[in-house]
Amino acid sequence: MNIFFDNYSGNEKRTGVQKYSEQIFQWLELAGLPMTRFGFGDNYTQDPNIKQIASFIPQKLANRLHRYNILPPLDRLTLQPVSVAVFPDFVCWPMPAERTAVVIHDTSYLDVPSSVSPPLRRYLTAQVQKSINTADFVIVSSHVVKNRLIEIYGTSEEAFLVVPALP
């Protein structure tokens, strides 16, 4: 099994979302599963453990490309077939994998709109629905987030995997 893990958590700044993403990555790593960890932008190149296969696409450009449905061929960035592709930051890129997962940490962009910038709120409002529809399953940090996403998007309960954050 080869896991393709979007390396959102790889930069030096550490937010709660990044720490949670890193916990998921470490959990998969401890399971001894072979992984290709990739990320957009130059901020990922500082970690020697990260294969820098997508650092040529700046993060802002990647977000803009995704917004307009102009997507790079992620499958060309992997050298072997992908069993599971994990996207830990709300947005699931299309990828030819046996299964895809998107991680949605919270619904604050809808529930507390003042907590995010207006452009980010618009982006997430549009992309989260697409990501939920694209992914085979959705990883969430709590049953509260799961239930809220079901309420907002009408997603089936079976689509979710609840993985609580570690202290």
Side-chain angles (χ1 to χ4, degrees):
M1 174 189 294
N2 185 37
I3 298 175
F4 181 87
F5 192 93
D6 181 353
N7 191 56
Y8 170 74
S9 64
N11 63 20
E12 288 182 8
K13 295 179 182 176
R14 293 288 185 206
T15 64
V17 169
Q18 289 168 314
K19 288 177 184 175
Y20 180 68
S21 299
E22 189 64 26
Q23 287 176 358
I24 292 172
F25 176 79
Q26 289 172 356
W27 176 72
L28 292 169
E29 193 174 48
L30 286 172
L33 302 172
M35 279 184 278
T36 299
R37 188 173 183 173
F38 102 106
F40 293 112
D42 296 330
N43 54 348
Y44 300 97
T45 61
Q46 297 170 11
D47 187 334
N49 298 317
I50 297 169
K51 294 182 182 179
Q52 300 169 19
I53 60 175
S55 62
F56 61 90
I57 303 172
Q59 182 69 55
K60 286 185 179 182
L61 175 59
N63 289 346
R64 189 159 298 214
L65 291 171
H66 192 271
R67 184 178 307 148
Y68 296 110
N69 290 318
I70 304 168
L71 305 171
L74 296 182
D75 57 319
R76 293 185 186 162
L77 301 175
T78 62
L79 300 176
Q80 52 190 310
V82 174
S83 302
V84 179
V86 180
F87 297 91
D89 188 27
F90 295 85
V91 178
C92 182
W93 290 68
M95 173 136 192
E98 291 175 29
R99 310 244 336 170
T100 56
V102 63
V103 180
I104 300 177
H105 311 277
D106 61 53
T107 56
S108 61
Y109 65 98
L110 295 171
D111 297 334
V112 188
S114 62
S115 67
V116 295
S117 69
L120 179 58
R121 186 173 59 250
R122 285 190 300 273
Y123 176 73
L124 289 175
T125 299
Q127 297 303 325
V128 168
Q129 177 72 62
K130 290 179 188 177
S131 295
I132 289 173
N133 292 342
T134 301
D136 292 302
F137 59 100
V138 181
I139 299 172
V140 294
S141 57
S142 71
H143 287 280
V144 171
V145 174
K146 172 186 153 186
N147 293 336
R148 186 70 175 116
L149 290 171
I150 290 170
E151 176 186 331
I152 295 168
Y153 298 112
T155 311
S156 165
E157 231 181 281
E158 291 77 37
F160 292 92
L161 174 62
V162 178
V163 180
L166 300 174

